[in-house]
Amino acid sequence: MWQCGVYPLIEKKLISAGIYSFSVECPDAAKAAKPGQFAHIRISGFTLRRPVSICDADKENGTLRFVFEVRGEGTARLSETGVGDNIDIIAPLGNGFTLPENPARRVVLAGGGIGVPPLLGIARIMKGNAAAILGFKNSGKVILEKDFKRAGADVTICAEDEGVHKTPIPPLAEKLSRGGVDRVYACGPEPMLKAVVAECKKRGVECEVSLEQRMGCGVGACVVCACRAVRGGEELMLRVCRDGPVFSGREVFP
Amino acid sequence: MKRDLSVTVAGVKLSNPVIAASGTYGFGEDYAGLYPLNLLGGISCKGLTAEKRNGNPPPRIAETPGGVLNSVGLQNPGVDAFIKEHLPFLKEKADVVIANIAGETRDDYRNIAEKLDGTDVDIIELNISCPNIEKGGAAWGVSADGAAAITKTVRAVTKKPLMVKLTPNVTDITETAKAAEAQGADCISLINTILGMRIDVKTRRPVLRNNTGGLSGAAVLPVAVRMVWQVANAVKIDVVGMGGITRAEDAIEMMLAGAKAVQVGTAIMTDPYAPLKIIDGIELYMNDNNITDLSEIAGKVLPW
Ligand SMILES: Cc1cc2nc3c(=O)[nH]c(=O)nc-3n(C[C@H](O)[C@H](O)[C@H](O)COP(=O)(O)OP(=O)(O)OC[C@H]3O[C@@H](n4cnc5c(N)ncnc54)[C@H](O)[C@@H]3O)c2cc1C
Ligand SMILES: Cc1cc2nc3c(=O)[nH]c(=O)nc-3n(C[C@H](O)[C@H](O)[C@H](O)COP(=O)(O)O)c2cc1C
Ligand code: FES
């Protein structure tokens, strides 16, 4: 069950141009959080909360970490929050990724841009058994590389102006063709997700994708956050906030 | 001091005048872990249609100054699934259950109401803001004839208290209110969302995939208060006010304008605790002003 309350910002860092890392002391939510879940953050002066993925949950210190990019007015205002200020948060929300029953299995994490943060939690749990393929617009936009490495992941960075590959798709295809990959987890822009799902289908590998949609309540009540999915031949309208944000790639990009 | 906040609407007693508005509270399930649902005066469930509906394509919501625009398009599991899968929980956890219904034809409304008549929902709320397929697709509730036709159709098949929910997208709100009253409505609730539109100046695309949507939230409060005041002065049946209530003061304003109870919708998206804070604030106001019964403020505005 999620919590709703105000919690202090205890650490704030600008980790790249316009991208912030916030740590919020929020022990109950940190304890309950699973990789892939998100928080719905109230920002003063706005009617709608803003959904932001939980990048990391430190269960011992009781903190949640968020990494977000300033996109519009809401995230700009959020970035002005000072250390010690309270943030009104509903968390943890959504289903989160399905982790392999056996953490000794190999998984691939495919992240694009601001879709990279929610994958860090899986890297931590999978320790050395995760390959993280992280794509960015350019080398100035790379975030969390060290964090993934520290978690034990085998990291490949892709950027238009750096590295061997411009997008995560070719290295993903290469890893899948070598076999032994139990599952792929992806988060990023929709064209990238579609390409990831297509690669996985080709190789018959399970794939979970984390989607974004405009939200109202964030908890499942208002059904504004619709996502079309096909399950067992039947067309369903699912709620990204409650039935997702993580979906089977096959069901949402059939 | 503990105060008695109870009010009676359409013959049904509510423990307090704050009801969760249709479409913003689902079937109560999503909030039941946060606080006991019976702390609310009542819950108006998501609008029900005869068959399951998938609604409009996303994006279905956008922020606007002081409010939101939505174009959900009545996504709901259908009345049968509501009765089987959602009503038992709601009945167990909530005090007063209001079933909000919507249709495209008179038959739709009749069928849904007949089904609900056999259940233990406390009140049926008729959302008449849906397109009238029988007459070209304008909303039933934009004309007195349409409002009368739906009210009459439903009144004929149920003895449940009937609350007719008006659309504000009309020239004279008192006409649709009076038409519903004349056909046997027990109560009027208003306002539904105000038709609106926003355009992204970069892409030149409407921000909602449906192009237009309904405006709600704090921005609509003055329109809602005005319409509640007009309707309360035009009909003898009870009035339930909504539209833009985010604080206790807004709810009291609505009651002064003539509402016996209020509904709170969009504010719940911003703050799930909003209805409880509003209830507490009303009690505080009663204490500060030595009010023992909310009938002392209902309709007690002193117009110039
Ligand atoms: C489940 C989920 C997890 C997310 N995780 C992160 C994250 O970890 N880091 C991060 O930087 N961003 C994340 N986002 C995207 C983030 O929610 C948007 O960038 C943010 O809402 C933009 O708000 P704004 O006011 O700055 O922008 P504006 O464009 O002014 O926002 C206008 C409205 O549109 C909504 N909106 C705009 N873009 C998006 C979007 N991509 N998805 C959903 N709603 C949007 C806003 O919430 C707001 O209601 C996530 C989105 C979802 C749905
Ligand atoms: C997301 C959303 C969905 C709604 N769905 C319904 C609905 O199904 N039936 C209905 O009668 N009103 C619906 N409404 C209208 C509200 O019940 C209410 O009349 C309106 O939002 C004004 O109140 P508010 O400003 O407190 O939200 C919906 C409103 C919103 C924001
Ligand atoms: S945002 Fe309300 S149901 Fe998903």
Side-chain angles (χ1 to χ4, degrees), chain A residues 38 46 48-53 67-76 114 117-118 211-215 240 245, chain B residues 63:
Chain A
F38 70 99
F46 294 89
L48 292 179
R49 288 171 179 260
R50 300 299 193 261
V52 180
S53 298
V67 170
F68 68 92
E69 181 169 29
V70 173
R71 284 280 175 87
E73 285 178 59
T75 43
I114 205 64
L211 300 186
E212 292 186 355
Q213 190 47 265
R214 311 267 152 158
M215 289 184 181
V240 172
Chain B
E63 175 134 12

Side-chain angles (χ1 to χ4, degrees), chain A residues 20 23 35 44-47 69 85 89 98 101 110 119 128 135-136 175 192 208 216 222 244 252:
Chain A
Y20 289 84
S23 289
S44 81
F46 294 89
T47 302
E69 181 169 29
D85 292 351
I89 285 175
T98 324
E101 275 150 35
L119 300 171
F136 303 92
K175 287 213 159 44
M192 181 201 111
E208 286 193 339
C222 73
V252 289

Side-chain angles (χ1 to χ4, degrees), chain B residues 252-270:
Chain B
I252 291 159
E253 199 176 323
M254 204 67 101
M255 289 192 263
L256 287 168
K260 285 185 89 175
V262 298
Q263 296 192 17
V264 176
T266 305
I268 298 171
M269 294 186 187
T270 317

Side-chain angles (χ1 to χ4, degrees), chain B residues 19-25 31 68 216-217 242-246 262-271 274-275 278:
Chain B
I19 300 164
S22 176
T24 58
Y25 215 71
Y31 291 108
V68 301
S216 63
M242 80 191 92
I245 296 174
T246 64
V262 298
Q263 296 192 17
V264 176
T266 305
I268 298 171
M269 294 186 187
T270 317
D271 180 5
I278 292 169

